[in-house]
């Protein structure tokens, strides 16, 4: 597709459940990023992939969060034992070059609500 | 890590007015971007501008890397310019975002 796509657009789950969020980057983009945006705040970095490997996962808040990108394209962010504090918009971005040079391009986000 | 500060936090303009949004960053960067987040939450790329000046229609941006700031200029503002404007910066790292400037353009 022409841009970054994310599914689902909205996800409502109950506390303690497991969720998966999917990101399809722009074709040919080697770098993929996950960010999280809480209400009234700017996006905050979670994890960055260069190809298939996680180049930087320092933003993941705890071990309930995990992400994969097995074939170097689509990525899945996985959250175990969800908590109400995980409610936020999860944004995915991709860039042509490593380190985000030439710019990062964002998808529409997945709004996660944990009840 | 890099810190990014934006000002002003809120701005109300009459349609047709001009405005300048500022972004200060704490360290040298090789990636700086300006985004507009529309009411539906989509982050729209405005400029990739780690240095220099660029213009796109009524919008222009200037980054003075040696002084660690960037400016976004909006001329002849329209109601559709309303939303939150984010500056984000990094150096071979994922972007660090400022808290944004919330712009309201009133007809």
């Amino acid at each position: 597709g022409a841009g970054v796509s994310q599914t689902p657009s909205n996800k409502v789950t109950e506390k303690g459940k497991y969720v998966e969020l999917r990101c399809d980057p722009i074709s040919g983009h080697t770098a993929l990023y996950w960010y999280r945006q809480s209400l009234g705040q700017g996006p905050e970095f979670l994890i960055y992939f260069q190809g298939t490997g996680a180049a930087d996962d320092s933003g993941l808040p705890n071990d309930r969060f995990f992400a994969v990108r097995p074939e170097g394209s689509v990525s899945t962010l996985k959250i175990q034992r969800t908590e109400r504090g995980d409610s936020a918009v999860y944004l995915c971005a991709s860039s042509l070059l490593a380190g985000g040079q030439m710019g990062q391009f964002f998808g529409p986000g997945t709004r996660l609500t944990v009840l | 890590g890099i810190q990014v500060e934006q000002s002003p936090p809120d701005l109300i303009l009459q349609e047709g007015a001009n405005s300048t949004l500022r972004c200060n960053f704490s360290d040298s960067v090789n990636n700086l971007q300006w985004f507009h987040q529309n009411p539906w939450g989509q982050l729209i790329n405005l400029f990739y501008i780690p240095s220099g000046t660029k213009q796109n229609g009524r919008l222009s941006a200037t980054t003075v890397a040696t002084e660690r700031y960037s400016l976004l200029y909006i001329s002849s503002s329209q109601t559709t310019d309303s939303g939150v404007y984010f500056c984000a910066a990094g150096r071979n790292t994922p972007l660090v975002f400022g808290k944004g400037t919330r712009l309201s353009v009133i007809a």
Side-chain angles (χ1 to χ4, degrees), chain A residues 75-112:
Chain A
S75 177
T76 304
L77 178 65
K78 308 180 180 192
I79 310 174
Q80 299 177 320
R81 304 183 304 279
T82 51
E83 299 177 357
R84 293 193 180 89
D86 299 335
S87 297
V89 176
Y90 289 80
L91 294 164
C92 176
S94 69
S95 65
L96 182 62
L97 300 178
Q101 294 176 62
M102 300 301 291
Q104 294 184 25
F105 295 83
F106 281 78
T110 294
R111 182 175 300 277
L112 175 65

PDB file of all heavy atoms in Angstrom, chain A residues 75-112:
ATOM      1  N   SER A  75       4.998  -6.234  11.376  1.00  0.00           N
ATOM      2  CA  SER A  75       5.378  -6.388  12.778  1.00  0.00           C
ATOM      3  C   SER A  75       4.127  -6.541  13.624  1.00  0.00           C
ATOM      4  O   SER A  75       3.059  -6.005  13.298  1.00  0.00           O
ATOM      5  CB  SER A  75       6.164  -5.167  13.248  1.00  0.00           C
ATOM      6  OG  SER A  75       6.475  -5.261  14.631  1.00  0.00           O
ATOM      7  N   THR A  76       4.275  -7.281  14.718  1.00  0.00           N
ATOM      8  CA  THR A  76       3.191  -7.461  15.677  1.00  0.00           C
ATOM      9  C   THR A  76       3.683  -7.051  17.052  1.00  0.00           C
ATOM     10  O   THR A  76       4.730  -7.514  17.506  1.00  0.00           O
ATOM     11  CB  THR A  76       2.709  -8.921  15.718  1.00  0.00           C
ATOM     12  OG1 THR A  76       2.331  -9.339  14.399  1.00  0.00           O
ATOM     13  CG2 THR A  76       1.502  -9.061  16.648  1.00  0.00           C
ATOM     14  N   LEU A  77       2.927  -6.183  17.700  1.00  0.00           N
ATOM     15  CA  LEU A  77       3.184  -5.810  19.089  1.00  0.00           C
ATOM     16  C   LEU A  77       2.243  -6.632  19.966  1.00  0.00           C
ATOM     17  O   LEU A  77       1.034  -6.651  19.728  1.00  0.00           O
ATOM     18  CB  LEU A  77       2.927  -4.319  19.307  1.00  0.00           C
ATOM     19  CG  LEU A  77       3.114  -3.779  20.737  1.00  0.00           C
ATOM     20  CD1 LEU A  77       4.572  -3.881  21.171  1.00  0.00           C
ATOM     21  CD2 LEU A  77       2.635  -2.331  20.832  1.00  0.00           C
ATOM     22  N   LYS A  78       2.817  -7.307  20.945  1.00  0.00           N
ATOM     23  CA  LYS A  78       2.035  -8.218  21.781  1.00  0.00           C
ATOM     24  C   LYS A  78       2.066  -7.715  23.220  1.00  0.00           C
ATOM     25  O   LYS A  78       3.147  -7.390  23.742  1.00  0.00           O
ATOM     26  CB  LYS A  78       2.626  -9.631  21.705  1.00  0.00           C
ATOM     27  CG  LYS A  78       2.815 -10.120  20.267  1.00  0.00           C
ATOM     28  CD  LYS A  78       3.401 -11.515  20.211  1.00  0.00           C
ATOM     29  CE  LYS A  78       3.572 -11.941  18.751  1.00  0.00           C
ATOM     30  NZ  LYS A  78       3.872 -13.385  18.632  1.00  0.00           N
ATOM     31  N   ILE A  79       0.917  -7.680  23.837  1.00  0.00           N
ATOM     32  CA  ILE A  79       0.819  -7.246  25.224  1.00  0.00           C
ATOM     33  C   ILE A  79       0.123  -8.337  26.024  1.00  0.00           C
ATOM     34  O   ILE A  79      -1.028  -8.703  25.724  1.00  0.00           O
ATOM     35  CB  ILE A  79       0.041  -5.914  25.364  1.00  0.00           C
ATOM     36  CG1 ILE A  79       0.579  -4.865  24.396  1.00  0.00           C
ATOM     37  CG2 ILE A  79       0.129  -5.406  26.809  1.00  0.00           C
ATOM     38  CD1 ILE A  79      -0.228  -3.565  24.368  1.00  0.00           C
ATOM     39  N   GLN A  80       0.811  -8.841  27.028  1.00  0.00           N
ATOM     40  CA  GLN A  80       0.247  -9.900  27.880  1.00  0.00           C
ATOM     41  C   GLN A  80      -0.350  -9.272  29.139  1.00  0.00           C
ATOM     42  O   GLN A  80       0.096  -8.212  29.587  1.00  0.00           O
ATOM     43  CB  GLN A  80       1.346 -10.886  28.279  1.00  0.00           C
ATOM     44  CG  GLN A  80       1.996 -11.599  27.115  1.00  0.00           C
ATOM     45  CD  GLN A  80       3.128 -12.510  27.568  1.00  0.00           C
ATOM     46  OE1 GLN A  80       3.892 -12.151  28.445  1.00  0.00           O
ATOM     47  NE2 GLN A  80       3.211 -13.679  26.974  1.00  0.00           N
ATOM     48  N   ARG A  81      -1.328  -9.945  29.687  1.00  0.00           N
ATOM     49  CA  ARG A  81      -1.921  -9.556  30.984  1.00  0.00           C
ATOM     50  C   ARG A  81      -2.171  -8.046  31.034  1.00  0.00           C
ATOM     51  O   ARG A  81      -1.649  -7.329  31.878  1.00  0.00           O
ATOM     52  CB  ARG A  81      -0.998  -9.981  32.123  1.00  0.00           C
ATOM     53  CG  ARG A  81      -0.662 -11.457  32.120  1.00  0.00           C
ATOM     54  CD  ARG A  81       0.203 -11.863  33.309  1.00  0.00           C
ATOM     55  NE  ARG A  81       1.433 -11.093  33.416  1.00  0.00           N
ATOM     56  CZ  ARG A  81       2.529 -11.321  32.725  1.00  0.00           C
ATOM     57  NH1 ARG A  81       2.550 -12.313  31.835  1.00  0.00           N
ATOM     58  NH2 ARG A  81       3.608 -10.596  32.902  1.00  0.00           N
ATOM     59  N   THR A  82      -2.962  -7.581  30.086  1.00  0.00           N
ATOM     60  CA  THR A  82      -3.170  -6.141  29.947  1.00  0.00           C
ATOM     61  C   THR A  82      -3.667  -5.509  31.237  1.00  0.00           C
ATOM     62  O   THR A  82      -4.404  -6.126  32.021  1.00  0.00           O
ATOM     63  CB  THR A  82      -4.175  -5.830  28.820  1.00  0.00           C
ATOM     64  OG1 THR A  82      -5.359  -6.615  29.022  1.00  0.00           O
ATOM     65  CG2 THR A  82      -3.581  -6.133  27.465  1.00  0.00           C
ATOM     66  N   GLU A  83      -3.247  -4.263  31.439  1.00  0.00           N
ATOM     67  CA  GLU A  83      -3.654  -3.467  32.593  1.00  0.00           C
ATOM     68  C   GLU A  83      -4.334  -2.194  32.084  1.00  0.00           C
ATOM     69  O   GLU A  83      -4.124  -1.775  30.936  1.00  0.00           O
ATOM     70  CB  GLU A  83      -2.432  -3.109  33.448  1.00  0.00           C
ATOM     71  CG  GLU A  83      -1.710  -4.320  33.987  1.00  0.00           C
ATOM     72  CD  GLU A  83      -0.462  -3.953  34.775  1.00  0.00           C
ATOM     73  OE1 GLU A  83      -0.134  -2.747  34.851  1.00  0.00           O
ATOM     74  OE2 GLU A  83       0.179  -4.882  35.328  1.00  0.00           O
ATOM     75  N   ARG A  84      -5.129  -1.569  32.955  1.00  0.00           N
ATOM     76  CA  ARG A  84      -5.853  -0.373  32.539  1.00  0.00           C
ATOM     77  C   ARG A  84      -4.894   0.727  32.092  1.00  0.00           C
ATOM     78  O   ARG A  84      -5.178   1.512  31.195  1.00  0.00           O
ATOM     79  CB  ARG A  84      -6.774   0.104  33.646  1.00  0.00           C
ATOM     80  CG  ARG A  84      -7.904  -0.871  33.902  1.00  0.00           C
ATOM     81  CD  ARG A  84      -9.016  -0.284  34.763  1.00  0.00           C
ATOM     82  NE  ARG A  84     -10.063  -1.282  34.957  1.00  0.00           N
ATOM     83  CZ  ARG A  84     -10.079  -2.163  35.947  1.00  0.00           C
ATOM     84  NH1 ARG A  84      -9.115  -2.174  36.852  1.00  0.00           N
ATOM     85  NH2 ARG A  84     -11.069  -3.041  36.042  1.00  0.00           N
ATOM     86  N   GLY A  85      -3.715   0.772  32.688  1.00  0.00           N
ATOM     87  CA  GLY A  85      -2.717   1.765  32.318  1.00  0.00           C
ATOM     88  C   GLY A  85      -2.119   1.570  30.932  1.00  0.00           C
ATOM     89  O   GLY A  85      -1.406   2.455  30.447  1.00  0.00           O
ATOM     90  N   ASP A  86      -2.401   0.428  30.305  1.00  0.00           N
ATOM     91  CA  ASP A  86      -1.921   0.188  28.938  1.00  0.00           C
ATOM     92  C   ASP A  86      -2.805   0.887  27.915  1.00  0.00           C
ATOM     93  O   ASP A  86      -2.448   0.938  26.726  1.00  0.00           O
ATOM     94  CB  ASP A  86      -1.909  -1.314  28.634  1.00  0.00           C
ATOM     95  CG  ASP A  86      -0.982  -2.105  29.547  1.00  0.00           C
ATOM     96  OD1 ASP A  86      -0.026  -1.509  30.073  1.00  0.00           O
ATOM     97  OD2 ASP A  86      -1.226  -3.316  29.733  1.00  0.00           O
ATOM     98  N   SER A  87      -3.936   1.409  28.333  1.00  0.00           N
ATOM     99  CA  SER A  87      -4.844   2.090  27.413  1.00  0.00           C
ATOM    100  C   SER A  87      -4.148   3.309  26.811  1.00  0.00           C
ATOM    101  O   SER A  87      -3.622   4.161  27.533  1.00  0.00           O
ATOM    102  CB  SER A  87      -6.119   2.538  28.139  1.00  0.00           C
ATOM    103  OG  SER A  87      -6.842   1.424  28.622  1.00  0.00           O
ATOM    104  N   ALA A  88      -4.121   3.366  25.485  1.00  0.00           N
ATOM    105  CA  ALA A  88      -3.407   4.428  24.761  1.00  0.00           C
ATOM    106  C   ALA A  88      -3.616   4.185  23.280  1.00  0.00           C
ATOM    107  O   ALA A  88      -4.218   3.182  22.876  1.00  0.00           O
ATOM    108  CB  ALA A  88      -1.915   4.407  25.087  1.00  0.00           C
ATOM    109  N   VAL A  89      -3.080   5.083  22.467  1.00  0.00           N
ATOM    110  CA  VAL A  89      -3.013   4.852  21.022  1.00  0.00           C
ATOM    111  C   VAL A  89      -1.613   4.338  20.707  1.00  0.00           C
ATOM    112  O   VAL A  89      -0.618   4.970  21.077  1.00  0.00           O
ATOM    113  CB  VAL A  89      -3.315   6.130  20.220  1.00  0.00           C
ATOM    114  CG1 VAL A  89      -3.132   5.867  18.725  1.00  0.00           C
ATOM    115  CG2 VAL A  89      -4.730   6.620  20.504  1.00  0.00           C
ATOM    116  N   TYR A  90      -1.555   3.205  20.055  1.00  0.00           N
ATOM    117  CA  TYR A  90      -0.277   2.601  19.679  1.00  0.00           C
ATOM    118  C   TYR A  90      -0.018   2.918  18.213  1.00  0.00           C
ATOM    119  O   TYR A  90      -0.794   2.558  17.330  1.00  0.00           O
ATOM    120  CB  TYR A  90      -0.295   1.098  19.947  1.00  0.00           C
ATOM    121  CG  TYR A  90      -0.269   0.820  21.435  1.00  0.00           C
ATOM    122  CD1 TYR A  90      -1.434   0.913  22.198  1.00  0.00           C
ATOM    123  CD2 TYR A  90       0.920   0.521  22.087  1.00  0.00           C
ATOM    124  CE1 TYR A  90      -1.408   0.702  23.563  1.00  0.00           C
ATOM    125  CE2 TYR A  90       0.954   0.311  23.455  1.00  0.00           C
ATOM    126  CZ  TYR A  90      -0.214   0.403  24.184  1.00  0.00           C
ATOM    127  OH  TYR A  90      -0.182   0.210  25.543  1.00  0.00           O
ATOM    128  N   LEU A  91       1.095   3.605  17.976  1.00  0.00           N
ATOM    129  CA  LEU A  91       1.445   4.086  16.644  1.00  0.00           C
ATOM    130  C   LEU A  91       2.633   3.312  16.094  1.00  0.00           C
ATOM    131  O   LEU A  91       3.585   3.026  16.823  1.00  0.00           O
ATOM    132  CB  LEU A  91       1.811   5.569  16.698  1.00  0.00           C
ATOM    133  CG  LEU A  91       0.676   6.522  17.077  1.00  0.00           C
ATOM    134  CD1 LEU A  91       1.248   7.883  17.483  1.00  0.00           C
ATOM    135  CD2 LEU A  91      -0.306   6.685  15.942  1.00  0.00           C
ATOM    136  N   CYS A  92       2.562   3.036  14.826  1.00  0.00           N
ATOM    137  CA  CYS A  92       3.665   2.380  14.128  1.00  0.00           C
ATOM    138  C   CYS A  92       4.192   3.346  13.076  1.00  0.00           C
ATOM    139  O   CYS A  92       3.412   4.109  12.466  1.00  0.00           O
ATOM    140  CB  CYS A  92       3.162   1.098  13.472  1.00  0.00           C
ATOM    141  SG  CYS A  92       4.390   0.230  12.483  1.00  0.00           S
ATOM    142  N   ALA A  93       5.496   3.337  12.862  1.00  0.00           N
ATOM    143  CA  ALA A  93       6.110   4.171  11.835  1.00  0.00           C
ATOM    144  C   ALA A  93       7.159   3.359  11.098  1.00  0.00           C
ATOM    145  O   ALA A  93       7.699   2.385  11.637  1.00  0.00           O
ATOM    146  CB  ALA A  93       6.745   5.415  12.455  1.00  0.00           C
ATOM    147  N   SER A  94       7.449   3.756   9.869  1.00  0.00           N
ATOM    148  CA  SER A  94       8.533   3.114   9.142  1.00  0.00           C
ATOM    149  C   SER A  94       9.382   4.176   8.463  1.00  0.00           C
ATOM    150  O   SER A  94       8.930   5.306   8.237  1.00  0.00           O
ATOM    151  CB  SER A  94       8.001   2.094   8.115  1.00  0.00           C
ATOM    152  OG  SER A  94       7.339   2.724   7.045  1.00  0.00           O
ATOM    153  N   SER A  95      10.630   3.815   8.198  1.00  0.00           N
ATOM    154  CA  SER A  95      11.520   4.722   7.485  1.00  0.00           C
ATOM    155  C   SER A  95      12.380   3.928   6.520  1.00  0.00           C
ATOM    156  O   SER A  95      12.669   2.748   6.739  1.00  0.00           O
ATOM    157  CB  SER A  95      12.396   5.522   8.454  1.00  0.00           C
ATOM    158  OG  SER A  95      13.275   4.680   9.158  1.00  0.00           O
ATOM    159  N   LEU A  96      12.780   4.598   5.455  1.00  0.00           N
ATOM    160  CA  LEU A  96      13.553   3.943   4.407  1.00  0.00           C
ATOM    161  C   LEU A  96      14.936   3.557   4.915  1.00  0.00           C
ATOM    162  O   LEU A  96      15.444   2.472   4.606  1.00  0.00           O
ATOM    163  CB  LEU A  96      13.672   4.884   3.208  1.00  0.00           C
ATOM    164  CG  LEU A  96      14.420   4.350   1.990  1.00  0.00           C
ATOM    165  CD1 LEU A  96      13.689   3.132   1.427  1.00  0.00           C
ATOM    166  CD2 LEU A  96      14.539   5.434   0.930  1.00  0.00           C
ATOM    167  N   LEU A  97      15.521   4.438   5.718  1.00  0.00           N
ATOM    168  CA  LEU A  97      16.885   4.246   6.170  1.00  0.00           C
ATOM    169  C   LEU A  97      16.930   3.964   7.666  1.00  0.00           C
ATOM    170  O   LEU A  97      16.046   4.376   8.417  1.00  0.00           O
ATOM    171  CB  LEU A  97      17.728   5.481   5.855  1.00  0.00           C
ATOM    172  CG  LEU A  97      17.840   5.868   4.381  1.00  0.00           C
ATOM    173  CD1 LEU A  97      18.659   7.138   4.227  1.00  0.00           C
ATOM    174  CD2 LEU A  97      18.434   4.742   3.568  1.00  0.00           C
ATOM    175  N   ALA A  98      17.973   3.319   8.085  1.00  0.00           N
ATOM    176  CA  ALA A  98      18.190   3.070   9.509  1.00  0.00           C
ATOM    177  C   ALA A  98      18.339   4.397  10.243  1.00  0.00           C
ATOM    178  O   ALA A  98      18.845   5.374   9.687  1.00  0.00           O
ATOM    179  CB  ALA A  98      19.447   2.231   9.705  1.00  0.00           C
ATOM    180  N   GLY A  99      17.889   4.422  11.480  1.00  0.00           N
ATOM    181  CA  GLY A  99      18.020   5.634  12.288  1.00  0.00           C
ATOM    182  C   GLY A  99      16.997   6.688  11.955  1.00  0.00           C
ATOM    183  O   GLY A  99      17.010   7.777  12.531  1.00  0.00           O
ATOM    184  N   GLY A 100      16.113   6.386  11.021  1.00  0.00           N
ATOM    185  CA  GLY A 100      15.040   7.330  10.723  1.00  0.00           C
ATOM    186  C   GLY A 100      15.430   8.460   9.805  1.00  0.00           C
ATOM    187  O   GLY A 100      14.644   9.380   9.563  1.00  0.00           O
ATOM    188  N   GLN A 101      16.637   8.412   9.264  1.00  0.00           N
ATOM    189  CA  GLN A 101      17.042   9.482   8.357  1.00  0.00           C
ATOM    190  C   GLN A 101      16.174   9.425   7.113  1.00  0.00           C
ATOM    191  O   GLN A 101      15.788   8.364   6.657  1.00  0.00           O
ATOM    192  CB  GLN A 101      18.515   9.327   8.012  1.00  0.00           C
ATOM    193  CG  GLN A 101      19.415   9.540   9.214  1.00  0.00           C
ATOM    194  CD  GLN A 101      20.862   9.299   8.890  1.00  0.00           C
ATOM    195  OE1 GLN A 101      21.421   9.988   8.057  1.00  0.00           O
ATOM    196  NE2 GLN A 101      21.456   8.332   9.533  1.00  0.00           N
ATOM    197  N   MET A 102      15.898  10.568   6.568  1.00  0.00           N
ATOM    198  CA  MET A 102      14.945  10.787   5.471  1.00  0.00           C
ATOM    199  C   MET A 102      13.506  10.766   5.982  1.00  0.00           C
ATOM    200  O   MET A 102      12.584  10.901   5.211  1.00  0.00           O
ATOM    201  CB  MET A 102      15.115   9.776   4.334  1.00  0.00           C
ATOM    202  CG  MET A 102      16.481   9.792   3.697  1.00  0.00           C
ATOM    203  SD  MET A 102      16.882  11.411   3.021  1.00  0.00           S
ATOM    204  CE  MET A 102      15.730  11.496   1.651  1.00  0.00           C
ATOM    205  N   GLY A 103      13.311  10.612   7.277  1.00  0.00           N
ATOM    206  CA  GLY A 103      11.994  10.782   7.859  1.00  0.00           C
ATOM    207  C   GLY A 103      11.294   9.483   8.206  1.00  0.00           C
ATOM    208  O   GLY A 103      11.503   8.453   7.583  1.00  0.00           O
ATOM    209  N   GLN A 104      10.476   9.545   9.231  1.00  0.00           N
ATOM    210  CA  GLN A 104       9.619   8.442   9.631  1.00  0.00           C
ATOM    211  C   GLN A 104       8.185   8.777   9.230  1.00  0.00           C
ATOM    212  O   GLN A 104       7.755   9.928   9.340  1.00  0.00           O
ATOM    213  CB  GLN A 104       9.681   8.223  11.144  1.00  0.00           C
ATOM    214  CG  GLN A 104      11.032   7.760  11.641  1.00  0.00           C
ATOM    215  CD  GLN A 104      11.039   7.470  13.120  1.00  0.00           C
ATOM    216  OE1 GLN A 104      10.012   7.167  13.722  1.00  0.00           O
ATOM    217  NE2 GLN A 104      12.216   7.566  13.720  1.00  0.00           N
ATOM    218  N   PHE A 105       7.459   7.739   8.817  1.00  0.00           N
ATOM    219  CA  PHE A 105       6.091   7.913   8.352  1.00  0.00           C
ATOM    220  C   PHE A 105       5.186   7.056   9.210  1.00  0.00           C
ATOM    221  O   PHE A 105       5.436   5.865   9.381  1.00  0.00           O
ATOM    222  CB  PHE A 105       5.981   7.531   6.870  1.00  0.00           C
ATOM    223  CG  PHE A 105       6.785   8.449   5.988  1.00  0.00           C
ATOM    224  CD1 PHE A 105       8.137   8.234   5.804  1.00  0.00           C
ATOM    225  CD2 PHE A 105       6.191   9.547   5.388  1.00  0.00           C
ATOM    226  CE1 PHE A 105       8.889   9.100   5.014  1.00  0.00           C
ATOM    227  CE2 PHE A 105       6.933  10.411   4.600  1.00  0.00           C
ATOM    228  CZ  PHE A 105       8.287  10.185   4.414  1.00  0.00           C
ATOM    229  N   PHE A 106       4.128   7.672   9.723  1.00  0.00           N
ATOM    230  CA  PHE A 106       3.303   7.032  10.741  1.00  0.00           C
ATOM    231  C   PHE A 106       2.006   6.469  10.167  1.00  0.00           C
ATOM    232  O   PHE A 106       1.411   7.043   9.243  1.00  0.00           O
ATOM    233  CB  PHE A 106       2.966   8.036  11.845  1.00  0.00           C
ATOM    234  CG  PHE A 106       4.089   8.242  12.810  1.00  0.00           C
ATOM    235  CD1 PHE A 106       5.172   9.035  12.473  1.00  0.00           C
ATOM    236  CD2 PHE A 106       4.079   7.629  14.051  1.00  0.00           C
ATOM    237  CE1 PHE A 106       6.223   9.213  13.353  1.00  0.00           C
ATOM    238  CE2 PHE A 106       5.115   7.807  14.947  1.00  0.00           C
ATOM    239  CZ  PHE A 106       6.193   8.599  14.593  1.00  0.00           C
ATOM    240  N   GLY A 107       1.562   5.375  10.776  1.00  0.00           N
ATOM    241  CA  GLY A 107       0.256   4.827  10.484  1.00  0.00           C
ATOM    242  C   GLY A 107      -0.809   5.534  11.301  1.00  0.00           C
ATOM    243  O   GLY A 107      -0.514   6.409  12.113  1.00  0.00           O
ATOM    244  N   PRO A 108      -2.082   5.136  11.110  1.00  0.00           N
ATOM    245  CA  PRO A 108      -3.191   5.803  11.790  1.00  0.00           C
ATOM    246  C   PRO A 108      -3.337   5.416  13.252  1.00  0.00           C
ATOM    247  O   PRO A 108      -4.081   6.061  13.985  1.00  0.00           O
ATOM    248  CB  PRO A 108      -4.412   5.354  10.982  1.00  0.00           C
ATOM    249  CG  PRO A 108      -4.000   4.036  10.419  1.00  0.00           C
ATOM    250  CD  PRO A 108      -2.534   4.142  10.142  1.00  0.00           C
ATOM    251  N   GLY A 109      -2.633   4.376  13.681  1.00  0.00           N
ATOM    252  CA  GLY A 109      -2.685   3.990  15.084  1.00  0.00           C
ATOM    253  C   GLY A 109      -3.759   2.975  15.404  1.00  0.00           C
ATOM    254  O   GLY A 109      -4.732   2.801  14.650  1.00  0.00           O
ATOM    255  N   THR A 110      -3.561   2.283  16.513  1.00  0.00           N
ATOM    256  CA  THR A 110      -4.577   1.410  17.107  1.00  0.00           C
ATOM    257  C   THR A 110      -4.907   1.982  18.480  1.00  0.00           C
ATOM    258  O   THR A 110      -4.017   2.126  19.319  1.00  0.00           O
ATOM    259  CB  THR A 110      -4.073  -0.033  17.267  1.00  0.00           C
ATOM    260  OG1 THR A 110      -3.862  -0.613  15.981  1.00  0.00           O
ATOM    261  CG2 THR A 110      -5.087  -0.870  18.049  1.00  0.00           C
ATOM    262  N   ARG A 111      -6.180   2.284  18.687  1.00  0.00           N
ATOM    263  CA  ARG A 111      -6.604   2.783  19.996  1.00  0.00           C
ATOM    264  C   ARG A 111      -6.964   1.591  20.859  1.00  0.00           C
ATOM    265  O   ARG A 111      -7.919   0.864  20.562  1.00  0.00           O
ATOM    266  CB  ARG A 111      -7.811   3.715  19.851  1.00  0.00           C
ATOM    267  CG  ARG A 111      -8.281   4.323  21.180  1.00  0.00           C
ATOM    268  CD  ARG A 111      -9.401   5.333  20.955  1.00  0.00           C
ATOM    269  NE  ARG A 111      -8.972   6.426  20.095  1.00  0.00           N
ATOM    270  CZ  ARG A 111      -8.310   7.495  20.506  1.00  0.00           C
ATOM    271  NH1 ARG A 111      -8.007   7.628  21.798  1.00  0.00           N
ATOM    272  NH2 ARG A 111      -7.962   8.444  19.665  1.00  0.00           N
ATOM    273  N   LEU A 112      -6.174   1.360  21.909  1.00  0.00           N
ATOM    274  CA  LEU A 112      -6.397   0.239  22.820  1.00  0.00           C
ATOM    275  C   LEU A 112      -7.063   0.750  24.093  1.00  0.00           C
ATOM    276  O   LEU A 112      -6.566   1.694  24.725  1.00  0.00           O
ATOM    277  CB  LEU A 112      -5.072  -0.430  23.174  1.00  0.00           C
ATOM    278  CG  LEU A 112      -5.143  -1.553  24.225  1.00  0.00           C
ATOM    279  CD1 LEU A 112      -5.945  -2.731  23.681  1.00  0.00           C
ATOM    280  CD2 LEU A 112      -3.748  -1.997  24.644  1.00  0.00           C
TER     281      LEU A 112
END
